[in-house]
Amino acid sequence: MTRSGNGRAFLALVVANVALAFGPMFVRLADTGPVAAAFWRMSLALPLVAGMAWTTRSRGGAAGGTRTRPSPRMIWLLAGAGIAFAADLGSWHVGIVRTTLANATLFGNVATFIFPLWGFLVARAWPSRGQSLALLLAAGGAALLMGRSYQLDPGHLVGDLLCVLAGVLYAAYFVLMADVRATMAPLPALAWSSLTALPPLLAFALLLGERVMPGDWTPLLGLALCSQVIGQGCMTYALGRLSPLAIGLALLVQPVVAGVVGWLLFGERLGAPDLIGVAMVAAALVLVRREPGPARAIAPAANGVREEVA
């Protein structure tokens, strides 16, 4: 991949995480149940994503993927990705209302380290010095950003475990979608995975007895456009072009943005530990951006030969 293409993918990754950081705000504003909000996030965004996928179906290129009609193997991958994403959103949204926001952010970001670990295992390589330093900086920054407000409370146990489960499922979604992106362009991949996520989300919402039909569509429209179209759309694009290490560490942009939003909109002051944590996360992203290393995503190509996707 060219340096300019890598730069565009990294910019898309940052934009994705900034947009996704606003998701919990829209979920809290919605007058439906939390899982029902996830269902509407996917269903309201799907026509727009599918329409954009259709208009760009003739575009090609090895890096972006050329196949828009999934093969039988791809159908299984997309179905698995959609189910994993549905379970991730359901667990995460329910966990948010059963624990503190700080705990949900802390445990929901375990994909930050699980997905890079998968990348190293697939590449059969240990992290380089630069990558190890990036991981250490990211871990320290995350601890400073979220550790101060973390609360150990038995009453939060169920919510905490649900958020941990959501983080694991999000990593599984990344693994499956990285494989899909080896041969499929981002918009068709997102459209197909979103379609397979709708039935389990609706079934989960009904099983929990949630209110499904909203009285106010505004928060759900914001959730669909911001989190799904922009956030997940840019994330899916980046998944086919950047390493698991870069994808995982960039997830920490979300708590950084959440802290800034809390400071600007809700008067939540940022202390010295928060600012140091932001600086450490930023340094980790700079390091992983400059360090190509051995942790590039390895995914099967369309012709059956394993190729390296930067």
Side-chain angles (χ1 to χ4, degrees):
M1 178 185 295
T2 64
R3 183 176 295 273
S4 61
N6 191 287
R8 287 193 297 270
F10 197 82
L11 177 62
L13 181 61
V14 173
V15 171
N17 283 285
V18 170
L20 289 168
F22 290 91
M25 178 185 71
F26 289 117
V27 172
R28 288 176 180 255
L29 291 174
D31 56 6
T32 64
V35 180
F39 167 77
W40 288 115
R41 162 182 165 168
M42 306 290 279
S43 59
L44 292 174
L46 183 57
L48 181 58
V49 173
M52 291 189 295
W54 177 259
T55 59
T56 59
R57 69 191 184 281
S58 61
R59 296 180 183 177
T66 60
R67 184 179 297 170
T68 56
R69 181 175 297 175
S71 65
R73 176 181 180 275
M74 201 60 58
I75 289 175
W76 284 106
L77 287 172
L78 288 165
I83 292 171
F85 194 38
D88 158 53
L89 287 179
S91 301
W92 166 251
H93 285 190
V94 174
I96 286 175
V97 299
R98 289 177 174 265
T99 187
T100 65
L101 189 57
N103 287 20
T105 305
L106 176 65
F107 292 123
N109 276 288
V110 297
T112 292
F113 302 102
I114 295 176
F115 190 50
L117 176 61
W118 171 83
F120 287 117
L121 290 174
V122 171
R124 297 179 181 177
W126 291 99
S128 66
R129 289 184 179 180
Q131 291 170 334
S132 298
L133 179 58
L135 284 167
L136 289 174
L137 284 170
L144 288 173
L145 279 168
M146 295 175 283
R148 188 174 61 164
S149 53
Y150 167 72
Q151 297 177 18
L152 183 61
D153 185 341
H156 298 152
L157 179 60
V158 173
D160 291 343
L161 291 176
L162 284 170
C163 291
V164 170
L165 175 61
V168 173
L169 290 166
Y170 201 30
Y173 168 78
F174 281 162
V175 169
L176 293 168
M177 286 299 286
D179 199 341
V180 169
R181 283 286 289 114
T183 53
M184 182 175 286
L187 287 173
L190 181 61
W192 283 104
S193 63
S194 299
L195 182 63
T196 59
L198 289 179
L201 279 173
L202 181 59
F204 194 13
L206 293 174
L207 184 64
L208 293 175
E210 291 186 356
R211 175 181 176 178
V212 175
M213 291 304 299
D216 182 8
W217 289 93
T218 305
L220 297 175
L221 287 170
L223 183 65
L225 291 174
C226 190
S227 293
Q228 190 64 16
V229 176
I230 299 175
Q232 213 58 44
C234 289
M235 183 70 76
T236 304
Y237 173 80
L239 271 171
R241 295 170 177 260
L242 296 175
S243 70
L245 181 62
I247 298 290
L249 296 191
L251 293 176
L252 293 177
V253 170
Q254 295 184 43
V256 170
V257 173
V260 173
V261 170
W263 171 48
L264 294 176
L265 299 183
F266 304 107
E268 299 175 357
R269 299 180 63 182
L270 295 175
D274 300 300
L275 298 177
I276 295 173
V278 169
M280 292 176 72
V281 169
L285 290 174
V286 170
L287 274 176
V288 79
R289 174 72 176 87
R290 297 176 61 182
E291 177 84 16
R296 296 180 179 180
I298 306 294
N303 58 6
V305 179
R306 299 186 74 83
E307 70 175 15
E308 190 174 274
V309 183

